[in-house]
Every structure is written in C-alpha cells, then in structure tokens.
Amino acid sequence: KLGTTVITPQQIIDYVNQIEAIRPLLKDILAGVTGSSYAKNTSNLTVRGASVFEASLGYGRKCPYVQSTAVLRGILKGLYVGGNLKYMKGLVGYAKAKVLSDDEVDTFDDLTDNQKISNRIGLDLGLLLKKERLLIFKKTQFGLLLRNINSPSFDQPAEAVADGEGSKYKMSPQIRGGVALWPFNWWTISSDMDLTENST
C-alpha cells in the first residue's frame, strides 16, 4: 500500500521489471561509458583576477603649439597636456574547479595559491582644457584620460597556461572623460564616465 493507493502484486512486478530494464543504461552513465556521462561533464567554475600596484612619475604643462597658433588659440586656449610613466607590479591569480567533481575544492584558496608576479612599464596620457566665463559658468574644465596606452601585459600562472588561457594577462587601454563646472566660486558640479568598455 503506497499512501492511500493500493498497489497490486502484478504492478510491483511490472515496476521491478522496468527498473531492471534500464539498469544497464544507468550503470553506463555512472561509469562514463555513454556520451551523456556525468564523468564526462566539463562544467566548471573559473576564477581569474589581477591586482596591480602602480608607482608613477607624472609631468604636465600648457600645450605650447596651441598657445602660439592664432587659428586654434580661441578654441583651445587653456589646453594642458600631461603624462605618467608608471612602474607596474602585477599579481595574476587563477583557479578552476569542476562543478560535478567529487573532490572538495576551495576555489578561492586555489586562486591565492596559483599566482604569478611580474613587472611592467605603463604609460598614461591626459588632456585638460580650462575655460573662463563659458556660457553661464564662471569656470569650466574638460578632461580626457587615456590609461595604459601601451597595453601592458602580465605573466599568467602556470595553471592558467596549462588550461589554455594563454601566457599573458593583458590590460587594455582605458579612456575616461569628464567635465567640471563652476556656476559660483563656491560651488562645483562635476561628472566623469568611461568612454571605452573594459572588463572589471
């Protein structure tokens, strides 16, 4: 008797026969014989990360050519240009764990253990345009920053290379723009945003 349903002896025999009929298929799946085996499932959790320390030497000044050119003087007067030469120390971590693995894996511990440190040189370029009495504002400034324009790349851990991730972790250039407005001497309104799409 199953709950409030009465099962006859013949039904029990039929159920047992059905289970016996699919038993070889179940054994093959669990043993990895068939293509749909759990043993052949490659679903995984992959964690990649990079931490970069930067020490920079920067310099900026008025753009001399613009200041001395009559045609551009009215539009681009107040243009400054600057740059950073950076020493970059990159620490790249990598961990990969199979979702259906029987082993107990701590992915974040593996990320800490599987690390590679390398050093590179990076370059930034910045532009700043200062304007006095623009429209209703007492002061206006426009800025444009180009970070890592030389696309520095850091060495990957051996585990990442073995998994086909490549030997380098590349940092793509970033472009960010911003504007600052002074409606009054004591009040600043500013905003900036990324102009390129970059992975986090």
Side-chain angles (χ1 to χ4, degrees):
K1 195 171 182 180
L2 183 62
T4 58
T5 303
V6 177
I7 300 177
T8 66
Q10 184 58 47
Q11 287 177 311
I12 294 174
I13 293 172
D14 291 341
Y15 291 146
V16 171
N17 288 336
Q18 290 175 19
I19 293 172
E20 286 298 322
I22 65 170
R23 183 193 294 272
L25 177 61
L26 291 174
K27 288 177 67 176
D28 287 347
I29 289 175
L30 295 175
V33 175
T34 64
S36 59
S37 166
Y38 287 109
K40 294 182 180 179
N41 192 299
T42 58
S43 299
N44 65 82
L45 171 65
T46 303
V47 181
R48 306 173 184 86
S51 174
V52 180
F53 166 81
E54 298 181 357
S56 62
L57 180 65
Y59 177 76
R61 59 166 294 175
K62 278 189 175 181
C63 196
Y65 176 76
V66 171
Q67 308 304 323
S68 62
T69 305
V71 177
L72 298 175
R73 191 179 300 146
I75 302 172
L76 298 180
K77 183 181 179 182
L79 180 65
Y80 292 75
V81 62
N84 287 326
L85 179 64
K86 304 185 297 186
Y87 161 76
M88 305 175 72
K89 182 176 183 178
L91 188 152
V92 181
Y94 177 84
K96 183 175 182 179
K98 289 186 176 180
V99 174
L100 299 179
S101 173
D102 292 331
D103 300 330
E104 291 186 10
V105 179
D106 191 325
T107 305
F108 294 101
D109 278 350
D110 289 345
L111 180 66
T112 305
D113 294 337
N114 302 334
Q115 295 181 346
K116 181 80 172 182
I117 298 175
S118 55
N119 303 304
R120 296 292 183 269
I121 297 296
L123 296 172
D124 299 339
L125 177 66
L127 298 171
L128 177 65
L129 180 62
K130 294 182 177 182
K131 287 293 182 181
E132 300 289 338
R133 301 290 178 181
L134 184 65
L135 300 176
I136 62 172
F137 302 106
K138 290 183 174 296
K139 288 191 300 182
T140 307
Q141 294 183 2
F142 303 92
L144 186 67
L145 173 64
L146 294 84
R147 297 187 71 243
N148 302 318
I149 57 177
N150 60 323
S151 300
S153 57
F154 300 92
D155 296 337
Q156 290 259 42
E159 292 77 10
V161 177
D163 283 342
E165 294 286 327
S167 61
K168 298 294 181 183
Y169 184 96
K170 183 180 177 182
M171 294 187 66
S172 300
Q174 296 175 308
I175 303 177
R176 193 168 181 85
V179 60
L181 310 169
W182 281 262
F184 309 103
N185 288 332
W186 46 270
W187 185 15
T188 307
I189 303 170
S190 64
S191 177
D192 60 281
M193 65 181 295
D194 288 326
L195 302 179
T196 54
E197 289 188 10
N198 294 85
S199 58
T200 57

